[in-house]
Amino acid sequence: MNRAHRELQLPGARLRYRDDGAGRAVVFVHGWTLDLDVWDPQLALAAELRVLRYDRRGFGLSSGTPSLDSDVDDLRALLHA
């Protein structure tokens, strides 16, 4: 398992994310004021699945201003990367 975080540079933000496991993917998106660490209990799924989780713009170790309008584009860019 890869326990190091990675970063994705986007216009106006830098997103911290973790990508663990292999195979079919599941993506976890945290709620307001939280960060990707809230999904630590679900990391056991990485034994059978690819587990992708990230800090939304402006939360955790991600930079930028929180924006519901940017959330969909940010997730799309992360999945593409």
Side-chain angles (χ1 to χ4, degrees), residues 8-23:
L8 176 64
Q9 189 65 46
L10 299 173
R14 183 194 72 257
L15 300 182
R16 172 180 76 140
Y17 70 97
R18 290 207 172 125
D19 186 358
D20 297 287

Side-chain angles (χ1 to χ4, degrees), residues 38-67:
V38 72
W39 299 115
D40 282 349
Q42 284 71 32
L43 193 53
L45 294 172
E48 298 180 27
L49 299 169
R50 182 177 179 189
V51 176
L52 180 64
R53 53 205 175 114
Y54 70 104
D55 289 343
R56 290 171 43 215
R57 184 181 292 244
F59 296 100
L61 297 180
S62 288
S63 66
T65 302
S67 167

Side-chain angles (χ1 to χ4, degrees), residues 4 14 21 34-35 55 58 64 69:
R14 183 194 72 257
L34 301 171
D35 64 15
D55 289 343
D69 292 333

